[in-house]
């Protein structure tokens, strides 16, 4: 069965610093996809970035990049130049060959001014 | 492009009462999901529809939960009777096709409190 582990329940980061949110996964599928979503206090899940298991390049979307290390089954999210509006819950999720999203428990990120 | 619409945003009911949630996905999205998110946890898939057919409802407590997707568009999720442990945020999401390299778009959710 697929599993996502996010080991950081919470993080405090100074504004404008870079932050890395950890995500490790466990799957026996050869083909899978990894997502990161942001959930602000308003409750909506906001898509940030996607990495396919066969993608050779690390995904990037603006200030977000994904440090994908397939052999280590790691897909860490890097946010550069953090902003106050980045304060939110961040979830890592894997989609398996059954097209199901399996979610981690999330990391609460707080950006300090 | 309009996003995924959910209503109501908040609902408080007593245990053993019934409640229904409504979701209108993004136009043209074939796949619709209902998730339950308990405070402090990641979402848990309850049911997945492909057009108006159920793809997966293995984690739906069928003795009390039911869901339907009318004409492959709108969807309703019902709980009858509600229990205290059903207190959670219920998230509806849709995607253009079944997920692999396309993201799901989420509504703002319905926060249910059962007292």
């Amino acid at each position: 069965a697929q599993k996502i582990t996010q080991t950081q329940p919470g993080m405090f980061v100074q504004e404008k610093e870079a932050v890395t949110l950890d995500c490790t996964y466990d799957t026996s599928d050869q083909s899978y996809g990894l997502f990161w979503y942001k959930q602000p206090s308003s409750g909506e899940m906001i898509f940030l970035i996607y990495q396919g298991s066969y993608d050779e390049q690390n995904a990037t979307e603006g200030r977000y990049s994904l440090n994908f290390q397939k052999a280590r089954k790691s897909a860490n999210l890097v946010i550069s130049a953090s902003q106050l509006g980045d304060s939110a819950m961040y979830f890592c999720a894997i989609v398996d060959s059954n097209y199901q999203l399996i979610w981690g428990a999330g990391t609460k990120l707080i950006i300090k001014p | 492009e309009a996003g995924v619409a959910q209503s109501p945003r908040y609902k408080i009911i007593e245990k053993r009462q019934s409640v229904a949630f409504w979701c209108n996905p993004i136009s043209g999205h074939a796949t619709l999901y209902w998730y339950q998110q308990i405070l402090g946890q990641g979402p848990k898939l309850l049911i997945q529809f492909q057009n108006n057919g159920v793809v997966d409802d293995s984690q739906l407590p069928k003795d009390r939960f039911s869901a339907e997707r009318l004409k492959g568009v709108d969807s309703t999720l019902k709980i009858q009777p509600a229990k205290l442990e059903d207190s959670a945020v219920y998230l509806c999401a849709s995607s253009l096709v079944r997920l692999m390299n396309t993201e799901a778009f989420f509504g703002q959710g319905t926060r249910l409190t059962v007292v």
Side-chain angles (χ1 to χ4, degrees), chain A residues 32-33 35 37 39 42-45 47 50 91 95-96 98-101 103-105, chain B residues 9 35 37 40-43 45 48 56 91 98-104 106-108:
Chain A
Y32 53 89
F35 292 83
Y37 278 84
Q39 188 176 41
S42 59
E44 185 176 356
M45 284 285 189
F47 167 74
Y50 168 85
F91 290 93
V95 60
D96 61 17
N98 293 321
Y99 306 100
Q100 304 251 345
L101 268 177
W103 299 79
Chain B
R9 284 297 312 278
Y35 289 91
Q37 187 178 20
Q41 299 181 16
L45 179 69
Q48 177 182 346
D56 185 355
L91 294 166
R98 297 181 76 182
L99 292 172
M100 184 51 75
N101 56 1
T102 182
E103 70 268 32
F106 284 79
Q108 288 193 296

Side-chain angles (χ1 to χ4, degrees), chain B residues 85-107:
Chain B
E85 59 260 36
D86 298 332
S87 295
V89 175
Y90 290 84
L91 294 166
C92 179
S94 69
S95 60
L96 189 59
V97 294
R98 297 181 76 182
L99 292 172
M100 184 51 75
N101 56 1
T102 182
E103 70 268 32
F105 295 84
F106 284 79

Side-chain angles (χ1 to χ4, degrees), chain A residues 37-55:
Chain A
Y37 278 84
K38 171 184 178 182
Q39 188 176 41
S41 56
S42 59
E44 185 176 356
M45 284 285 189
I46 301 168
F47 167 74
L48 295 179
I49 197 166
Y50 168 85
Q51 179 86 39
S53 57
Y54 292 116
D55 294 339

Side-chain angles (χ1 to χ4, degrees), chain B residues 12-90:
Chain B
I12 301 174
I13 61 172
E14 295 182 349
K15 59 184 179 183
R16 292 187 289 271
Q17 284 188 325
S18 302
V19 65
F21 312 128
W22 174 82
C23 173
N24 187 341
I26 293 173
S27 177
H29 279 196
T31 311
L32 185 146
Y33 316 82
W34 281 102
Y35 289 91
Q36 180 192 60
Q37 187 178 20
I38 292 172
L39 187 64
Q41 299 181 16
K44 182 184 86 170
L45 179 69
L46 292 175
I47 190 167
Q48 177 182 346
F49 292 94
Q50 184 72 14
N51 296 309
N52 60 352
V54 175
V55 173
D56 185 355
D57 63 357
S58 58
Q59 297 192 88
L60 187 73
K62 297 180 187 65
D63 58 334
R64 297 184 301 107
F65 286 64
S66 64
E68 61 179 0
R69 189 175 184 193
L70 304 171
K71 298 180 181 178
V73 182
D74 292 8
S75 179
T76 56
L77 176 69
K78 297 178 182 178
I79 308 175
Q80 179 180 6
K83 292 185 176 181
L84 296 177
E85 59 260 36
D86 298 332
S87 295
V89 175
Y90 290 84

